[in-house]
Amino acid sequence: MGEPGDRQADAANAFETATGTGTETAPENRTADAYEHPSGTETATETAGAFEHASASGTASETADAFDAESAKELSPEAVDVYGRVTRHEPIDPGRDARALGELRRWGLVITDPHLPHLPIALDPQEAGRRRLDEELRRMAARAALAARIPQLTDELGLHFERAKWRSGRGSEFLGEAELVNARIEQAVGRARAELLTAQPGGPRTGAQRAAAEERDGAALARGVHVRSLYLDTGRDDATTRAFVRAMTGRGAQFRTQVTQFQRCVVIDRRQAFISDHVVNSAPGHASWHVRDRAVVAFIAEVFEECWRRADPWHGDPHSESPRSAGPDGTRTTLLQREILRDMARGIEQRLTAQRLGIGLRSLSKEVRALRQLFGASTLQELTYQWALSDERLIDDRPPHPGRASA
């Protein structure tokens, strides 16, 4: 059986050999190894194996929490006392001291000969401490890497979640891809039977876009669909848009232009609509919502009608280059000029005014020069003053309220 000193030396050799070859792995080392490579058969190994594979029985979270909580504990006073008794070669009661021995084995401070469970062998605490420190540092590094990965992971999954989150059955559906938006609009317009309303505040169309829209809207007109389209007033300056409007007007479509900005929308038979996205912050600019809720679609159609009543009819003709004279009611300014003057009176920057009206700074400056000449003002301050004294500032350019008598 050998002397205690011999047994301690043999156990220490076995402890070092097990870390290199794995042929005689001590129980306390198998605990740490099993945490990363679960293959042992001892109780500690089974615990680590359960931590890795408990998902099959639905206890992974509970087992992991128990393992982490046990590993994070310091040595209890009982374990310290038992370790001192082991170093003094005093007999140990395997039953009464089982809990303390389990702590010492997890820390790699003792090993036990299966044939002599009452005589555990003490191991070097410095070596055990270094191993435990390395293990804790690896665990901390893994947790830090996971923590650093979390924001990136949530960003990757965010768009998918937003898309699923904002689907609301038959009410509305978020469309993120440009191809999907175009395909869905083509399908809806292809089934239109009574009315097609489109509001297009974007820039001029390309030749390909014009051809596609002409084919789509032309087919709708041939089926007897009433087509009305609203553009920004700046569309009158684009040759491609003018050619499109002239061609479609000859086939029965109606067009109007508005000086101020409006929201993009497509309304089909007042049963479904497509509108720009104002919900998903991370969505691309072409993202849209396909709305099927009848009440919401009716509201969108009424917003379109309000803009339509305020807009000017357009048959594809360009802006007139001749100077404007006073109208039949004595009005000298245009709607565009009045919008510019109102912003000037509010102290709004010309850059923001041009952006709101959908025109360039050069066009806005041209209108301002015409206004200064019209009012005989040498400075912008004088122009603003003359506008404040003018009766034209009282002109109400708002559309008439439906059902309300107007003068």
Side-chain angles (χ1 to χ4, degrees):
M1 183 166 55
E3 295 298 326
D6 295 336
R7 288 190 291 105
Q8 184 170 356
D10 293 341
N13 291 335
F15 178 81
E16 295 178 359
T17 303
T19 60
T21 63
T23 57
E24 210 172 324
T25 305
E28 67 280 2
N29 283 341
R30 285 201 297 268
T31 302
D33 292 341
Y35 180 74
E36 298 183 11
H37 306 286
S39 61
T41 58
E42 298 294 333
T43 303
T45 302
E46 292 170 359
T47 302
F51 176 70
E52 296 285 341
H53 302 290
S55 56
S57 59
T59 61
S61 177
E62 297 175 2
T63 306
D65 292 341
F67 188 87
D68 288 343
E70 193 68 26
S71 300
K73 290 182 179 179
E74 297 183 5
L75 280 177
S76 65
E78 293 78 10
V80 174
D81 177 69
V82 170
Y83 182 80
R85 287 158 52 195
V86 171
T87 60
R88 294 190 296 271
H89 310 299
E90 297 177 5
I92 301 299
D93 186 342
R96 185 184 61 188
D97 299 323
R99 184 181 182 87
L101 286 172
E103 292 184 53
L104 295 174
R105 280 195 295 266
R106 283 191 294 273
W107 275 74
L109 290 168
V110 299
I111 58 173
T112 303
D113 188 339
H115 301 292
L116 300 170
H118 61 290
L119 293 176
I121 308 301
L123 300 176
D124 184 359
Q126 297 296 328
E127 179 65 24
R130 285 192 294 270
R131 291 181 180 276
R132 184 59 180 261
L133 178 60
D134 290 343
E135 179 184 338
E136 293 298 330
L137 290 175
R138 285 195 301 269
R139 186 177 293 114
M140 290 172 60
R143 290 184 179 275
L146 174 61
R149 169 68 175 158
I150 289 174
Q152 180 182 355
L153 180 62
T154 55
D155 287 343
E156 293 175 358
L157 300 178
L159 183 58
H160 301 287
F161 176 76
E162 290 292 346
R163 180 176 300 174
K165 176 181 176 183
W166 293 109
R167 291 181 185 273
S168 53
R170 293 183 56 83
S172 58
E173 180 183 359
F174 175 70
L175 308 175
E177 294 79 11
E179 296 78 7
L180 180 58
V181 174
N182 294 332
R184 193 68 64 84
I185 292 177
E186 292 286 342
Q187 181 184 40
V189 173
R191 296 176 179 176
R193 290 295 176 265
E195 183 182 52
L196 172 61
L197 310 176
T198 63
Q200 303 290 345
R205 288 179 171 178
T206 64
Q209 290 173 332
R210 173 198 164 183
E214 190 169 346
E215 179 180 358
R216 180 195 67 196
D217 296 355
L221 288 166
R223 296 193 306 271
V225 177
H226 186 204
V227 178
R228 288 185 288 160
S229 299
L230 184 65
Y231 287 88
L232 278 175
D233 190 68
T234 52
R236 296 175 181 252
D237 296 325
D238 180 65
T240 300
T241 306
R242 290 200 304 268
F244 169 75
V245 171
R246 285 195 298 268
M248 299 306 295
T249 299
R251 300 169 70 172
Q254 297 182 40
F255 296 87
R256 291 190 180 185
T257 61
Q258 180 173 300
V259 173
T260 55
Q261 277 283 354
F262 50 86
Q263 291 296 320
R264 178 170 61 98
C265 71
V266 177
V267 183
I268 301 97
D269 292 340
R270 306 206 175 212
R271 292 180 175 272
Q272 54 182 321
F274 296 86
I275 58 175
S276 299
D277 171 63
H278 297 283
V279 178
V280 184
N281 296 328
S282 58
H286 55 254
S288 299
W289 285 86
H290 187 183
V291 183
R292 298 182 181 87
D293 185 280
R294 294 293 297 276
V296 178
V297 173
F299 179 82
I300 297 170
E302 182 53 34
V303 172
F304 176 91
E305 294 290 357
E306 182 177 342
C307 294
W308 184 262
R309 289 189 291 269
R310 187 174 181 175
D312 297 320
W314 185 32
H315 304 287
D317 50 300
H319 277 126
S320 175
E321 298 298 334
S322 59
R324 298 179 178 90
S325 59
D329 56 354
T331 302
R332 298 183 299 167
T333 56
T334 65
L335 175 59
L336 174 62
Q337 290 174 336
R338 290 194 293 276
E339 290 287 347
I340 294 173
L341 288 168
R342 290 180 184 122
D343 278 8
M344 289 178 59
R346 298 187 187 102
I348 298 176
E349 296 181 18
Q350 291 188 1
R351 174 180 57 84
L352 298 178
T353 299
Q355 182 178 356
R356 181 177 72 87
L357 299 177
I359 61 177
L361 280 174
R362 182 175 299 178
S363 298
L364 187 141
S365 299
K366 181 180 178 181
E367 294 291 344
V368 170
R369 284 196 301 269
L371 286 168
R372 287 172 58 183
Q373 182 179 1
L374 180 65
F375 283 92
S378 58
T379 64
L380 294 180
Q381 290 80 2
E382 184 178 356
L383 173 59
T384 304
Y385 177 74
Q386 293 293 342
W387 164 251
L389 297 178
S390 171
D391 291 338
E392 295 193 22
R393 68 180 175 83
L394 303 177
I395 296 176
D396 188 359
D397 290 318
R398 293 175 299 176
H401 192 279
R404 181 181 299 174
S406 57

